[in-house]
Amino acid sequence: MTLLQLRYFLVLAQTLHYTRTSEKLHISQPSLSYAISELEKELGVKLFQKEKRRVELTVYGQQFLPYVSKALALLRDGTDSLQDMLCKAPQIVRLGYFHSVSASFIPALVESFYQEEESPNIRFQFVESSSYDILSQLQSGKLDLGFSLHQAEWAESVGIMRQPLYLTVPASHPLSSRSCVSFQDFAREPQIMLEQGSNLRTNLDQVFALHGVIPNIVFEVRECNAALQYVGLGFGVSVLPQVPAMDSDKVFVLPISDQDKEFVRTVYFTRHKAHPLSPAAQKVREHIIRSCSLKDPSP
């Protein structure tokens, strides 16, 4: 016997009318009659009998009915239990970002998401890496959403913040008495830069080339914290985004003049156009765009 046969039997036992039952089940009356006939053949008994124009349960049908009702009710309970488990199960959203937005922006963003959205079952799987790597992982499908300084044809990117760069100098450096600096103020200073391939290094190489200056690079490092350590030791200056390690008495942080627009970069919130998002990821994306997207997306 099949679940459909049992369901047909239950509804027919409730209506005791073939036409109304077929309409309720959205099947043809011959299909209903055939299903009941096959069930009766398998059981070896008649479940229904016709008295003139009326349909009635036989004694066998009356005996069978409570068992079918209980069986189908148990199956509904089982289905409801699975759906309840599914609704309560954590829904994972894979979100990538680079170091300089990790300390201030990401925690505040996650906090605002949980405050505004009724999404207790959404959980984040965070990946911190370079901007280039975040874009690569979005392209390969390893990440659902990500923050990057780069754009690509396959990606859908929304500008969500302007990130200024700062000049960091040793605390004893003559520039530490200034409230602001321009490129010309530090262009000839010994430079501590990130390695080739990073977005920041690419930007700085372009700025120095634009001004026709060959930078005096004394150290190349892999990440911002290492650059700050060398600045604190007095080996040179470094242009960096704001990171927690700047909070040091060995380093002085200076804003770079508003005229030097090259020292402000746009952070993009990105997804792969061709990769469908889960409902949880879509909810996160909508929240971030709604609360963070720039009114003027141009760099």
Side-chain angles (χ1 to χ4, degrees), residues 192-196 219-224 226-228 230:
I192 300 165
M193 290 191 177
L194 269 59
E195 293 177 343
Q196 293 279 355
F219 284 110
E220 290 183 308
V221 296
R222 296 192 63 180
E223 43 88 24
C224 299
L228 286 168
Y230 286 115

Side-chain angles (χ1 to χ4, degrees), residues 142-186:
K142 292 180 180 179
L143 290 175
D144 302 309
L145 305 165
F147 296 96
S148 177
L149 297 163
H150 304 87
Q151 295 178 281
E153 291 184 358
W154 52 263
E156 182 178 357
S157 298
V158 177
I160 54 98
M161 66 181 292
R162 301 273 190 257
Q163 186 182 56
L165 300 176
Y166 298 89
L167 180 70
T168 60
V169 302
S172 59
H173 195 281
L175 289 175
S176 64
S177 62
R178 301 276 294 274
S179 60
C180 181
V181 294
S182 68
F183 173 77
Q184 298 300 333
D185 292 327
F186 62 86

Side-chain angles (χ1 to χ4, degrees), residues 187-230:
R188 307 294 177 180
E189 294 284 334
Q191 303 288 326
I192 300 165
M193 290 191 177
L194 269 59
E195 293 177 343
Q196 293 279 355
S198 69
N199 175 267
L200 180 56
R201 176 60 181 274
T202 300
N203 288 354
L204 291 178
D205 285 345
Q206 291 172 350
V207 172
F208 275 88
L210 180 66
H211 288 272
V213 178
I214 299 176
N216 175 21
I217 301 174
V218 292
F219 284 110
E220 290 183 308
V221 296
R222 296 192 63 180
E223 43 88 24
C224 299
N225 290 343
L228 286 168
Q229 289 179 347
Y230 286 115

Side-chain angles (χ1 to χ4, degrees), residues 88-186:
K88 291 180 179 178
Q91 303 169 60
I92 305 300
V93 177
R94 302 166 299 172
L95 179 67
Y97 52 84
F98 51 96
H99 179 66
S100 61
V101 299
S102 63
S104 56
F105 179 69
I106 296 299
L109 182 67
V110 172
E111 181 182 19
S112 72
F113 174 75
Y114 285 125
Q115 286 178 345
E116 294 184 13
E117 303 286 343
E118 295 183 359
S119 309
N121 297 320
I122 293 180
R123 296 290 181 267
F124 289 94
Q125 179 181 321
F126 296 115
V127 174
E128 182 178 322
S129 191
S130 69
S131 174
Y132 282 121
D133 190 48
I134 294 301
L135 201 68
S136 176
Q137 291 192 52
L138 285 167
Q139 186 175 23
S140 67
K142 292 180 180 179
L143 290 175
D144 302 309
L145 305 165
F147 296 96
S148 177
L149 297 163
H150 304 87
Q151 295 178 281
E153 291 184 358
W154 52 263
E156 182 178 357
S157 298
V158 177
I160 54 98
M161 66 181 292
R162 301 273 190 257
Q163 186 182 56
L165 300 176
Y166 298 89
L167 180 70
T168 60
V169 302
S172 59
H173 195 281
L175 289 175
S176 64
S177 62
R178 301 276 294 274
S179 60
C180 181
V181 294
S182 68
F183 173 77
Q184 298 300 333
D185 292 327
F186 62 86

